[in-house]
Amino acid sequence: MSRVETKVAPGRVAVIGTGLIGTSIALALRGRGTEVLLADRDPAAVRLAVDAGAGTPLYGRPHEPREPSEPLESSEPADLAILAVPPGAVPAALLEAQKRGVARVYTDVASVKERPMAEAVRLGCDMTTYVGGHPMGGRERSGPLAAQADLFLGRPWVLCPTRDTGEEVVGAATALILACGATPVVMHAADHDRAVALISHTPHVVSAAMAARFAGAPGGVLALTGQGARDVTRIAAGDPELWLGILCANARPIADLLEEVARDLVAAAAGLREGEAEGAVADLLARGVAGHGRIPGKHGGRPRRYTAVPVLVADRPGELALLFQAAGVAGINIEDVAIEHSPGRSVGLVELSVRPESAQDLARELRARGWSVPVGEGD
C-alpha cells in the first residue's frame, strides 16, 4: 500500500451514474470550478442531479434526455470519466463508454475491484486508459438528493492500477481524488478486496443479521431501544439491492470472514448455554476490546481515549448550538458527539467526548450555564 500525490488539476469530467457517490463527486468538482457532464440510465436521476447543481447532462438537455445510445453533444471527449455504478455494472459501462469515446481516461468508484477488472479484460476493454478506484466514504441514504460535496473530505480513496495502466491515467484519477478532498492510496486489487471485506462488507452483513432480529420483535420491546442497538444496526439500513450486488462481487473474502464470525458466535452461545461464559465468551469480549482499540483515531492517527461528559438537553431548536458554544467558550475541543433520545420525553442525552484532562472544566462550564450534568461526571 502506498500514497501518491500530484498537482495536476482536474479538467472536464463526465460522471456516469448519478446516485449518492456519483453526484457527491460531481458536487465536489463543481465547487472547484470543473465542468461536469452527467449521465445515468434513469433520466429522472440525471434531472435531480442537475437541479442540485451537480452539472449538465452528457446527452441532451436537462428535461429532454437522449437515449444512452445516441452520440455525444460534443465531439470533444472529457478529460476523465467516472463510472459511478455498482461493481457488476462496471465492465459493461467501461466498454460502452470507451466505444463511444466519452473520455480520454476512465476510473470507477465501485467497492469491489478484482472481479470487475477481470471481467473488463475478458470483455476487451482498453485497460491502458482505466484505473480502478474506490472512495472510502458513503451514507446509509442513497440517490442524488442524499449527495454531499464534502462526503470524501479527509477520507482514503483507493486506486488499483495494473501493469497496463498508463501513468497519465493514475495522474488524472489522483487529481480527481485531491479535488474531492480525499487522500489517494494505491493498493493491489486483491488486497483492496480483502481489506474492504473486513472493514466494510462483512460488518454490513453482521449488522443486518442483528437488525433482522428486530423485524419480528414486539413494539413494546423496541420502545426500549437504546443507543447501543442503534449503533450496531445503523449500517443495516443500506439499500438491499445495491448491497446484494456488492456482496456477490466480493463473495469469497466475505464468506471466509463470516465463517470466522460464526465460529466465534457459536462458541459464545455454547458457553452461555452451558454456564461456562468465562471461557469462549470472556475470550471474545477481550478480543473485541483489543480489536476496537486498533481502529485508527482522528485523521488516521493513533487511537485516543476520551472521556464522555453526558448532558441532558431539551429537544428544541438551538440547544445543540448553545451547548457547542459553551464548550468553545471554555476552550475545549469536542472530539465526538452521541445523542440518545429519551422514549416518550422531549429531552435527549448528549454525550460530549473530550480529552480526559478537559472533562472537569467542561462539566464545570456547562453547570455554570444551567445545563444538567450528572454529579460526578467529569469530576
Side-chain angles (χ1 to χ4, degrees), residues 52-128:
T56 57
L58 181 59
Y59 312 109
R61 290 173 290 181
H63 300 287
E64 296 181 13
R66 295 181 178 178
E67 292 298 319
S69 58
E70 293 193 38
L72 296 174
E73 283 289 303
S74 170
S75 59
E76 182 69 19
D79 297 312
L80 173 68
I82 303 156
L83 309 175
V85 297
V90 168
L94 176 60
L95 182 64
E96 180 184 357
Q98 288 181 335
K99 283 183 175 179
R100 292 174 31 233
V102 171
R104 295 182 178 90
V105 298
Y106 302 83
T107 187
D108 75 285
V109 294
S111 65
V112 182
K113 299 270 73 81
E114 192 172 32
R115 185 169 171 180
M117 290 168 66
E119 177 65 12
V121 171
R122 191 190 68 80
L123 289 179
C125 295
D126 179 4
M127 303 304 285
T128 66

Side-chain angles (χ1 to χ4, degrees), residues 126-149:
D126 179 4
M127 303 304 285
T128 66
T129 63
Y130 161 80
V131 60
H134 178 208
M136 304 300 293
R139 305 179 65 191
E140 292 76 52
R141 297 175 59 194
S142 60
L145 295 183
Q148 297 177 327

Side-chain angles (χ1 to χ4, degrees), residues 6 31 69 93 96 100 266 299 341 346:
T6 181
S69 58
E96 180 184 357
R100 292 174 31 233
V266 168
H299 314 304
H341 298 282
S346 57

Side-chain angles (χ1 to χ4, degrees), residues 18-43:
T18 54
L20 167 67
I21 302 299
T23 306
S24 294
I25 293 171
L27 289 172
L29 294 176
R30 291 292 299 133
R32 298 289 296 269
T34 300
E35 180 186 2
V36 179
L37 304 172
L38 305 169
D40 195 287
R41 63 180 181 180
D42 181 4

